[in-house]
Amino acid sequence: ASEGVPVAHVSGLPEGVSGYWGLWQVGLLTGAQHQVRALPLFCHDDGRVLVPTARMIWDRLVEGRSPISVAGVADDASTEAALGQMRSEAEAYGRSLFSDLEQVHLQTLRWEAEKGDYAYQVRRDALSRIGLREVRQYRLRRLDEEERQWRDNLERSRVVYPELNPIIVLRVVSESG
């Protein structure tokens, strides 16, 4: 059960615009990284998801062009249903953001793998030419172990987990409505 959602009057919205606005955090978690993107959503009272309206509200709030006045708290049964709809919509719209984060992450891993492969080969070639045979073999074994650990870490970084968190959810009513 929710504790209620603040009801906010936002100036500058077209007349009749009312619904739930939320800012969601879409994230990608790995063992070593946490990447996030913001996702604004607006669910109109009639059930439509209005992405341009969500962005307009967010832009106006960030720029300080639309003062917000909190007029109370909405905590009726329709609020619970609206919050459920918002989460479902955030999951649906957030999939593409997560996919973008994942593609960038995998491309970064490919680049790191290529760079690492080259670096280890250069080091291996240099170690193969320098020093006594026993010393070379010892150094090459140490390099092999270092490379194995590096590859294990790189492989663990391929496992990613999605994350979706609401930052803020408001019941939005146009100032004129």
Side-chain angles (χ1 to χ4, degrees):
S2 78
E3 297 176 13
V5 173
V7 176
H9 290 282
V10 179
S11 65
L13 293 179
E15 189 172 331
V17 172
S18 62
Y20 289 84
W21 178 84
L23 185 61
W24 295 78
Q25 175 182 294
V26 177
L28 175 137
L29 297 168
T30 69
Q33 291 184 341
H34 184 217
Q35 299 176 41
V36 296
R37 296 288 185 272
L39 172 65
L41 278 179
F42 182 78
C43 295
H44 195 279
D45 286 342
D46 64 11
R48 294 177 295 155
V49 175
L50 306 175
V51 175
T53 302
R55 288 190 184 124
M56 178 189 70
I57 292 170
W58 189 27
D59 288 345
R60 288 181 178 202
L61 295 176
V62 168
E63 294 170 0
R65 290 191 298 148
S66 290
I68 296 178
S69 59
V70 177
V73 176
D75 60 1
D76 55 5
S78 64
T79 299
E80 280 296 317
L83 292 176
Q85 179 194 7
M86 282 209 75
R87 174 158 287 283
S88 295
E89 298 295 348
E91 289 172 0
Y93 282 88
R95 277 188 188 95
S96 66
L97 281 179
F98 177 77
S99 179
D100 292 346
L101 288 171
E102 187 176 33
Q103 291 306 313
V104 168
H105 175 70
L106 292 175
Q107 180 60 39
T108 300
L109 289 180
R110 283 189 290 275
W111 180 77
E112 286 179 18
E114 289 173 11
K115 186 173 75 168
D117 288 342
Y118 177 75
Y120 280 109
Q121 187 58 51
V122 167
R123 288 174 64 191
R124 186 168 283 104
D125 291 346
L127 289 175
S128 297
R129 294 188 305 261
I130 301 171
L132 299 172
R133 189 172 72 84
E134 293 82 17
V135 174
R136 282 195 314 260
Q137 289 174 346
Y138 172 75
R139 289 179 179 163
L140 287 170
R141 281 193 305 271
R142 282 187 32 198
L143 182 64
D144 287 343
E145 177 60 25
E146 180 186 322
E147 184 179 9
R148 186 192 62 73
Q149 289 176 357
W150 171 77
R151 287 191 187 285
D152 288 347
N153 288 337
L154 195 62
E155 197 57 38
R156 278 194 295 277
S157 294
R158 292 187 187 287
V159 178
V160 296
Y161 301 97
E163 178 183 53
L164 179 66
N165 295 309
I167 303 297
I168 185 170
V169 175
L170 299 172
R171 169 88 176 120
V172 173
V173 181
S174 65
E175 202 170 55
S176 59

